[in-house]
Amino acid sequence: SLFRLKDLEVAKLGDSDVHVKMLAAPINPADINMIQGRTYPILSPLPAVGGNEGVGEVLEVGQRVATLKPGDWVILASTGLGTWRTQGVFPEEMLLKVPHDIPVLSAATLSVNPCTAYRMLTDFQSLAPGDSVIQNAANSGVGQAVIQIAKAFGVKTINVVRDRPDLPKLVERLMALGADYVITEEVLRKPEMKDLFKSVPKPRLALNCVGGKSTTEMLRHLQPKGTMVTYGGMAKQPVTVPVSAFIFQDVQLRGFWMTQWKKDHAQDQESLTSMMDALCQLIRRGQLTAPACTEVPLQDYQAALEASMKPFISSKQILLL
């Protein structure tokens, strides 16, 4: 294993630093990709602390810190800072205050998946109530957030999942989150899609984090001038597009990476805080819940890492710190 649990001294608190007691931090697929160093453009110099998101409570602040005080809840504004730890000292500008009237698991899982879902639903097509979106890997953390945020916007979701032994249970869970349709990859190629589109318009937006066949099939159902946004490649297969989709449908293929969005908007705090406010509003109203989570004490991190790499996993492992 690449991981060890170590006791370290907490760094000295500088004038612009904040001493944070971490409360909870999830294990996301990208955290593991980043550590394995495969297919991921950011590498931390080793030894490094794993984890890219999580929520903590401020214990103490340096004398120049203006925006935070002890007792505040914070999440990390950028990736690569290492959240799988009990305490840390971070520069003030790396932290974002979040309200503590939202559940701790919602705060811990706020900065990656819901933000990705929110940006993809708002930045690529101007969707109006009644429009529809199609997505694969609909049971992923992003997928669950897409279902709920789209529902709050009045946008219908067509959710594609892999066939599996407990399919009816998964369908039921996604419907309970607000999914309009849940179908398997096989159904994408079947005539029953025609019936589906009698009651819901064809999607203007497709969200892809799989690649390979399911992506090509999803693309066939896009409206003319629709957009497909790729944000992951779980099947490790390329995205193949029929020439006709370009010529006759004029589809657009785009990509999205939350880390890049944060870099691009580093000077524009307003865009970040307005998104966080919108998401916290949805959480407060009960319209956006944390994904299904399994809470694991830090000392059992090994079991949590193994569980997070199993196929068909539908529960996010959250380290309790």
Side-chain angles (χ1 to χ4, degrees):
S1 158
L2 299 159
F3 294 93
R4 304 269 179 286
L5 202 52
K6 288 188 78 158
D7 285 317
L8 300 171
E9 289 286 305
V10 175
K12 225 167 92 53
L13 190 71
D15 285 353
S16 308
D17 290 340
V18 180
H19 182 186
V20 177
K21 172 190 185 300
M22 293 302 294
L23 301 171
I27 299 177
N28 290 318
D31 300 334
I32 297 188
N33 295 347
M34 201 164 145
I35 291 149
Q36 292 171 334
R38 291 183 212 143
T39 70
Y40 216 73
I42 310 176
L43 289 176
S44 304
L46 298 174
V49 179
N52 285 301
E53 74 171 337
V55 62
E57 182 184 325
V58 174
L59 293 178
E60 196 188 345
V61 300
Q63 49 199 29
R64 283 217 211 99
V65 172
T67 58
L68 296 168
K69 58 184 191 312
D72 284 346
W73 275 14
V74 288
I75 60 176
L76 299 176
S78 73
T79 43
L81 297 173
T83 53
W84 300 342
R85 57 167 103 210
T86 52
Q87 297 190 14
V89 170
F90 304 99
E92 177 185 19
E93 74 268 12
M94 295 289 179
L95 300 170
L96 274 180
K97 185 173 163 175
V98 290
H100 32 53
D101 62 351
I102 64 174
V104 71
L105 294 181
S106 292
T109 52
L110 181 61
S111 67
V112 179
N113 294 336
C115 289
T116 299
Y118 185 88
R119 294 267 55 105
M120 292 194 303
L121 287 169
T122 49
D123 291 355
F124 295 93
Q125 284 274 356
S126 43
L127 298 171
D131 282 342
S132 82
V133 172
I134 190 167
Q135 63 166 345
N136 53 25
N139 56 314
S140 66
V142 172
Q144 293 176 54
V146 164
I147 289 170
Q148 296 174 83
I149 296 167
K151 182 156 181 84
F153 290 169
V155 170
K156 306 255 181 259
T157 56
I158 302 161
N159 300 282
V160 184
V161 295
R162 285 181 296 176
D163 201 1
R164 63 194 63 213
D166 59 346
L167 185 66
K169 246 171 63 187
L170 176 64
V171 171
E172 196 181 315
R173 229 185 64 220
L174 297 182
M175 297 301 267
L177 286 181
D180 295 283
Y181 301 92
V182 183
I183 58 175
T184 60
E185 293 183 345
E186 289 69 37
V187 171
L188 275 178
R189 320 185 181 97
K190 299 255 170 77
E192 58 223 67
M193 289 303 284
K194 279 209 170 59
D195 297 335
L196 192 150
F197 291 125
K198 283 178 187 147
S199 47
V200 65
K202 286 199 156 192
R204 293 178 32 205
L205 182 65
L207 306 176
N208 164 47
C209 80
V210 178
K213 261 206 194 76
S214 95
T215 306
T216 309
E217 294 296 338
M218 236 179 16
L219 205 60
R220 291 185 202 286
H221 300 299
L222 267 189
Q223 272 193 40
K225 295 199 186 311
T227 305
M228 183 170 78
V229 183
T230 292
Y231 67 99
M234 285 167 23
K236 300 191 170 43
Q237 289 163 352
V239 169
T240 310
V241 183
V243 170
S244 59
F246 279 129
I247 300 174
F248 305 119
Q249 303 297 106
D250 190 16
V251 297
Q252 294 192 53
L253 298 192
R254 303 285 307 271
F256 183 78
W257 186 34
M258 196 62 220
T259 302
Q260 188 61 45
W261 186 91
K262 284 181 179 164
K263 275 192 196 131
D264 293 346
H265 294 79
Q267 300 315 309
D268 173 17
Q269 273 313 102
E270 175 45 33
S271 62
L272 189 59
T273 49
S274 70
M275 167 171 66
M276 289 302 182
D277 289 348
L279 291 170
C280 287
Q281 263 318 98
L282 292 175
I283 292 168
R284 276 195 206 96
R285 289 195 204 123
Q287 291 176 301
L288 177 60
T289 55
C293 290
T294 304
E295 302 175 43
V296 182
L298 181 60
Q299 55 272 25
D300 300 339
Y301 72 94
Q302 207 64 54
L305 285 167
E306 277 160 33
S308 71
M309 295 194 246
K310 287 207 176 87
F312 297 129
I313 187 89
S314 25
S315 182
K316 196 174 272 298
Q317 306 292 309
I318 304 264
L319 297 171
L320 293 186
L321 308 160

Coordinates of all heavy atoms in Angstrom, one line a residue, residues 55-116:
V55 N -14.3 19.1 5.2 CA -14.7 20.2 6.0 C -14.0 20.2 7.4 O -13.7 19.1 7.9 CB -16.2 20.3 6.2 CG1 -16.7 19.0 7.0 CG2 -16.7 21.6 6.9
G56 N -13.6 21.4 7.8 CA -12.9 21.5 9.1 C -13.5 22.7 9.9 O -14.3 23.5 9.4
E57 N -13.1 22.7 11.2 CA -13.5 23.8 12.1 C -12.3 24.6 12.4 O -11.2 24.1 12.8 CB -14.1 23.2 13.3 CG -14.6 24.3 14.3 CD -15.2 23.6 15.6 OE1 -15.7 22.5 15.5 OE2 -15.0 24.3 16.6
V58 N -12.4 25.9 12.4 CA -11.3 26.8 12.7 C -11.0 26.8 14.2 O -11.9 27.0 15.0 CB -11.6 28.3 12.2 CG1 -10.5 29.2 12.7 CG2 -11.7 28.3 10.7
L59 N -9.7 26.5 14.6 CA -9.3 26.5 16.0 C -8.7 27.8 16.4 O -9.0 28.4 17.5 CB -8.3 25.4 16.3 CG -8.8 23.9 16.1 CD1 -7.6 23.0 16.4 CD2 -9.9 23.7 17.1
E60 N -7.9 28.4 15.5 CA -7.1 29.6 15.8 C -6.7 30.3 14.5 O -6.6 29.6 13.5 CB -5.8 29.1 16.5 CG -5.1 30.2 17.2 CD -3.7 29.6 17.7 OE1 -3.5 28.4 17.7 OE2 -2.9 30.5 18.1
V61 N -6.6 31.6 14.5 CA -6.3 32.3 13.3 C -5.1 33.3 13.6 O -4.9 33.8 14.7 CB -7.5 33.2 12.8 CG1 -8.6 32.3 12.4 CG2 -7.9 34.3 13.7
G62 N -4.2 33.5 12.5 CA -3.1 34.4 12.6 C -3.6 35.8 12.7 O -4.8 36.1 12.4
Q63 N -2.8 36.8 13.2 CA -3.3 38.1 13.5 C -3.7 38.9 12.3 O -4.5 39.9 12.4 CB -2.3 38.9 14.3 CG -0.9 38.9 13.8 CD 0.2 39.3 14.8 OE1 0.0 39.0 16.0 NE2 1.3 39.9 14.4
R64 N -3.3 38.5 11.1 CA -3.8 39.3 9.9 C -5.0 38.7 9.3 O -5.5 39.2 8.3 CB -2.6 39.3 8.9 CG -1.6 40.3 9.2 CD -1.0 41.0 7.9 NE 0.4 41.3 8.2 CZ 1.4 40.6 7.7 NH1 1.2 39.5 6.9 NH2 2.6 40.9 8.0
V65 N -5.5 37.6 9.8 CA -6.7 36.9 9.2 C -7.9 37.7 9.5 O -8.3 38.0 10.6 CB -6.8 35.5 9.7 CG1 -8.1 34.8 9.3 CG2 -5.6 34.6 9.3
A66 N -8.6 38.1 8.4 CA -9.8 39.0 8.6 C -11.1 38.3 8.4 O -12.1 38.7 9.0 CB -9.7 40.1 7.6
T67 N -11.2 37.2 7.6 CA -12.5 36.7 7.2 C -12.9 35.5 8.0 O -14.1 35.1 7.9 CB -12.4 36.2 5.7 OG1 -11.4 35.2 5.6 CG2 -12.1 37.3 4.7
L68 N -12.0 35.0 8.9 CA -12.4 33.8 9.6 C -12.1 33.9 11.1 O -11.2 34.7 11.5 CB -11.6 32.6 9.1 CG -11.8 32.2 7.7 CD1 -10.8 31.2 7.2 CD2 -13.2 31.5 7.5
K69 N -12.9 33.2 11.9 CA -12.6 33.3 13.4 C -12.8 31.8 13.9 O -13.5 31.0 13.3 CB -13.6 34.3 14.0 CG -15.1 33.9 13.8 CD -15.9 35.0 14.4 CE -17.4 34.6 14.4 NZ -17.9 34.0 13.1
P70 N -12.3 31.6 15.1 CA -12.5 30.2 15.7 C -13.9 29.8 15.8 O -14.8 30.7 16.1 CB -11.9 30.4 17.1 CG -10.9 31.5 17.0 CD -11.4 32.5 16.0
G71 N -14.2 28.6 15.5 CA -15.6 28.1 15.4 C -16.2 28.0 14.1 O -17.1 27.3 13.8
D72 N -15.6 28.9 13.1 CA -16.1 28.8 11.7 C -15.9 27.5 11.1 O -14.9 26.8 11.4 CB -15.5 29.9 10.9 CG -16.0 31.3 11.2 OD1 -17.0 31.4 11.8 OD2 -15.3 32.3 10.7
W73 N -16.8 27.1 10.2 CA -16.5 25.9 9.4 C -15.9 26.3 8.1 O -16.3 27.3 7.5 CB -17.8 25.2 9.1 CG -18.2 24.2 10.1 CD1 -17.8 24.1 11.4 CD2 -19.2 23.2 10.0 NE1 -18.4 23.1 12.1 CE2 -19.3 22.5 11.3 CE3 -20.1 22.8 9.0 CZ2 -20.2 21.5 11.5 CZ3 -21.0 21.7 9.2 CH2 -21.0 21.1 10.5
V74 N -14.9 25.6 7.6 CA -14.3 25.9 6.3 C -14.1 24.7 5.4 O -14.0 23.5 5.9 CB -12.9 26.5 6.5 CG1 -13.0 27.9 7.1 CG2 -12.0 25.6 7.5
I75 N -14.1 24.9 4.1 CA -13.7 23.9 3.2 C -12.5 24.4 2.4 O -12.2 25.7 2.4 CB -14.8 23.5 2.2 CG1 -15.3 24.7 1.4 CG2 -16.0 22.8 3.0 CD1 -16.4 24.3 0.4
L76 N -11.7 23.6 1.7 CA -10.5 24.0 1.0 C -10.9 24.5 -0.4 O -11.6 23.8 -1.1 CB -9.5 22.9 0.9 CG -9.1 22.4 2.3 CD1 -8.1 21.2 2.2 CD2 -8.4 23.5 3.1
A77 N -10.4 25.7 -0.7 CA -10.7 26.3 -2.0 C -10.0 25.7 -3.2 O -10.4 25.9 -4.3 CB -10.5 27.8 -1.9
S78 N -8.9 25.0 -2.9 CA -8.2 24.4 -4.1 C -7.8 23.0 -3.7 O -7.7 22.6 -2.6 CB -7.0 25.3 -4.5 OG -6.0 25.2 -3.6
T79 N -7.4 22.3 -4.8 CA -7.1 20.8 -4.6 C -5.6 20.7 -4.2 O -4.9 21.6 -4.4 CB -7.4 20.1 -5.9 OG1 -6.9 20.9 -7.0 CG2 -8.8 19.8 -6.1
G80 N -5.3 19.5 -3.8 CA -3.8 19.2 -3.6 C -3.3 19.6 -2.2 O -2.1 19.6 -2.0
L81 N -4.2 20.0 -1.3 CA -3.8 20.5 0.0 C -3.7 19.4 1.0 O -3.2 19.6 2.1 CB -4.6 21.7 0.5 CG -4.6 22.9 -0.4 CD1 -5.6 23.9 0.0 CD2 -3.2 23.5 -0.4
G82 N -4.4 18.3 0.7 CA -4.3 17.2 1.7 C -5.3 17.3 2.8 O -5.1 18.0 3.8
T83 N -6.5 16.6 2.7 CA -7.5 16.7 3.7 C -7.6 15.5 4.7 O -8.3 15.5 5.6 CB -8.9 16.9 3.1 OG1 -9.1 15.8 2.1 CG2 -9.0 18.2 2.3
W84 N -6.8 14.4 4.3 CA -6.9 13.2 5.2 C -6.0 13.4 6.3 O -4.9 12.8 6.4 CB -6.6 12.0 4.4 CG -7.5 11.7 3.2 CD1 -8.7 12.3 3.0 CD2 -7.2 10.9 2.0 NE1 -9.2 11.9 1.8 CE2 -8.4 11.0 1.2 CE3 -6.2 10.1 1.7 CZ2 -8.4 10.3 0.0 CZ3 -6.3 9.4 0.5 CH2 -7.4 9.5 -0.4
R85 N -6.4 14.3 7.3 CA -5.6 14.5 8.5 C -6.5 15.1 9.5 O -7.6 15.5 9.2 CB -4.5 15.6 8.1 CG -5.1 16.9 7.6 CD -4.1 18.0 7.5 NE -3.6 18.3 6.2 CZ -2.4 18.8 5.9 NH1 -1.6 19.0 6.9 NH2 -2.1 19.0 4.7
T86 N -6.0 15.0 10.8 CA -6.9 15.5 11.9 C -6.8 17.0 12.0 O -7.8 17.7 12.3 CB -6.5 14.8 13.2 OG1 -5.1 15.0 13.4 CG2 -6.8 13.3 13.2
Q87 N -5.6 17.6 11.8 CA -5.4 19.0 11.9 C -4.5 19.5 10.8 O -3.7 18.8 10.3 CB -4.8 19.4 13.2 CG -5.7 19.0 14.4 CD -5.2 19.6 15.7 OE1 -4.4 20.5 15.8 NE2 -5.8 19.1 16.8
G88 N -4.6 20.8 10.5 CA -3.6 21.4 9.5 C -3.6 22.9 9.6 O -4.6 23.5 10.2
V89 N -2.6 23.5 9.1 CA -2.4 24.9 9.1 C -2.4 25.3 7.6 O -1.6 24.8 6.8 CB -1.2 25.4 9.8 CG1 -0.9 26.9 9.5 CG2 -1.3 25.1 11.3
F90 N -3.4 26.2 7.2 CA -3.6 26.6 5.8 C -3.6 28.1 5.7 O -4.1 28.8 6.6 CB -4.9 26.1 5.3 CG -5.1 24.6 5.4 CD1 -5.8 24.0 6.5 CD2 -4.5 23.7 4.5 CE1 -6.0 22.7 6.6 CE2 -4.6 22.3 4.6 CZ -5.4 21.8 5.7
P91 N -3.1 28.7 4.6 CA -3.2 30.1 4.4 C -4.7 30.5 4.2 O -5.5 29.7 3.7 CB -2.5 30.3 3.0 CG -1.7 29.1 2.7 CD -2.4 28.0 3.5
E92 N -5.0 31.6 4.8 CA -6.4 32.1 4.8 C -7.0 32.0 3.4 O -8.2 31.6 3.2 CB -6.5 33.5 5.3 CG -7.9 34.1 5.2 CD -7.9 35.6 5.7 OE1 -6.8 36.3 5.7 OE2 -9.0 36.1 6.0
E93 N -6.3 32.4 2.3 CA -6.9 32.4 1.0 C -7.2 31.1 0.4 O -7.9 30.9 -0.6 CB -6.1 33.3 0.0 CG -4.8 32.6 -0.5 CD -3.6 33.0 0.3 OE1 -3.7 33.5 1.4 OE2 -2.5 32.7 -0.1
M94 N -6.7 30.0 1.1 CA -7.0 28.7 0.6 C -8.3 28.1 1.2 O -8.7 27.0 0.9 CB -5.9 27.7 1.0 CG -4.5 28.0 0.4 SD -4.6 27.6 -1.3 CE -2.9 28.0 -1.8
L95 N -8.9 28.9 2.1 CA -10.1 28.4 2.8 C -11.4 29.2 2.4 O -11.3 30.4 2.2 CB -9.9 28.5 4.3 CG -8.7 27.7 4.8 CD1 -8.4 28.0 6.3 CD2 -8.9 26.2 4.7
L96 N -12.5 28.5 2.4 CA -13.8 29.1 2.1 C -14.7 28.8 3.3 O -14.8 27.7 3.7 CB -14.4 28.5 0.9 CG -14.1 28.9 -0.5 CD1 -14.9 28.1 -1.5 CD2 -14.5 30.4 -0.6
K97 N -15.3 29.9 3.8 CA -16.2 29.7 5.0 C -17.5 29.1 4.5 O -18.0 29.4 3.4 CB -16.4 31.0 5.6 CG -17.3 31.0 6.8 CD -17.3 32.3 7.5 CE -18.5 32.4 8.5 NZ -18.5 33.6 9.2
V98 N -18.0 28.1 5.2 CA -19.3 27.5 4.9 C -20.2 27.6 6.1 O -19.7 27.6 7.2 CB -19.2 26.0 4.4 CG1 -18.6 26.0 3.0 CG2 -18.5 25.1 5.3
P99 N -21.5 27.7 5.9 CA -22.4 27.8 7.1 C -22.3 26.6 7.9 O -22.2 25.5 7.3 CB -23.7 28.1 6.4 CG -23.6 27.6 5.0 CD -22.2 27.7 4.6
H100 N -22.5 26.7 9.2 CA -22.5 25.4 10.0 C -24.0 25.0 10.3 O -24.2 24.1 11.1 CB -21.6 25.2 11.2 CG -21.3 26.5 11.9 ND1 -22.2 27.3 12.5 CD2 -20.1 27.0 12.3 CE1 -21.7 28.3 13.1 NE2 -20.4 28.1 13.0
D101 N -24.9 25.5 9.6 CA -26.3 25.0 9.7 C -26.6 24.0 8.6 O -27.7 23.6 8.4 CB -27.3 26.1 9.7 CG -27.3 26.9 8.4 OD1 -26.4 26.7 7.6 OD2 -28.2 27.7 8.2
I102 N -25.6 23.5 7.9 CA -25.8 22.4 7.0 C -25.1 21.1 7.5 O -24.2 21.2 8.3 CB -25.2 22.7 5.5 CG1 -23.7 22.9 5.5 CG2 -25.9 24.0 5.0 CD1 -23.1 23.1 4.2
P103 N -25.6 19.9 7.1 CA -25.1 18.7 7.7 C -23.6 18.6 7.4 O -23.1 19.0 6.3 CB -25.8 17.6 7.0 CG -27.1 18.2 6.5 CD -26.7 19.7 6.2
V104 N -22.8 18.0 8.3 CA -21.4 17.9 8.2 C -21.0 17.1 6.9 O -20.0 17.4 6.2 CB -20.7 17.3 9.4 CG1 -21.0 15.8 9.6 CG2 -19.2 17.5 9.4
L105 N -21.8 16.1 6.6 CA -21.5 15.3 5.4 C -21.7 16.1 4.1 O -21.0 15.9 3.1 CB -22.2 14.0 5.4 CG -21.9 13.0 6.5 CD1 -22.7 11.7 6.3 CD2 -20.4 12.6 6.5
S106 N -22.7 16.9 4.1 CA -23.0 17.8 3.0 C -21.8 18.8 2.8 O -21.3 19.0 1.7 CB -24.2 18.6 3.1 OG -25.4 17.8 3.1
A107 N -21.3 19.4 3.9 CA -20.2 20.3 3.8 C -18.9 19.6 3.3 O -18.2 20.1 2.5 CB -20.0 20.9 5.2
A108 N -18.7 18.3 3.8 CA -17.5 17.6 3.5 C -17.5 17.2 2.0 O -16.4 17.1 1.4 CB -17.4 16.3 4.3
T109 N -18.6 17.1 1.4 CA -18.7 16.6 0.0 C -19.1 17.8 -0.9 O -19.6 17.5 -2.1 CB -19.7 15.5 -0.2 OG1 -20.9 15.8 0.4 CG2 -19.2 14.2 0.5
L110 N -19.0 19.0 -0.5 CA -19.5 20.1 -1.3 C -18.6 20.6 -2.4 O -19.1 21.0 -3.5 CB -19.8 21.3 -0.3 CG -20.3 22.6 -0.8 CD1 -21.7 22.3 -1.4 CD2 -20.4 23.6 0.3
S111 N -17.3 20.6 -2.2 CA -16.5 21.4 -3.1 C -16.1 20.7 -4.4 O -15.6 21.3 -5.3 CB -15.2 21.8 -2.4 OG -14.4 20.7 -2.1
V112 N -16.3 19.4 -4.6 CA -16.0 18.7 -5.9 C -17.2 18.4 -6.7 O -17.5 19.0 -7.7 CB -15.1 17.5 -5.6 CG1 -14.7 16.8 -6.9 CG2 -13.8 17.9 -4.9
N113 N -18.0 17.3 -6.2 CA -19.1 16.8 -7.0 C -20.2 17.8 -7.2 O -20.6 18.0 -8.4 CB -19.6 15.5 -6.4 CG -18.5 14.4 -6.6 OD1 -17.7 14.5 -7.4 ND2 -18.6 13.4 -5.7
P114 N -20.8 18.4 -6.2 CA -21.9 19.4 -6.4 C -21.5 20.6 -7.3 O -22.2 21.0 -8.1 CB -22.3 19.8 -5.0 CG -21.9 18.7 -4.1 CD -20.6 18.2 -4.7
C115 N -20.2 21.0 -7.1 CA -19.8 22.2 -7.9 C -19.6 21.7 -9.3 O -20.0 22.5 -10.3 CB -18.4 22.6 -7.4 SG -18.5 23.5 -5.8
T116 N -19.1 20.6 -9.6 CA -19.0 20.0 -11.0 C -20.3 20.0 -11.6 O -20.5 20.4 -12.7 CB -18.3 18.6 -10.9 OG1 -17.0 18.8 -10.4 CG2 -18.2 18.1 -12.3

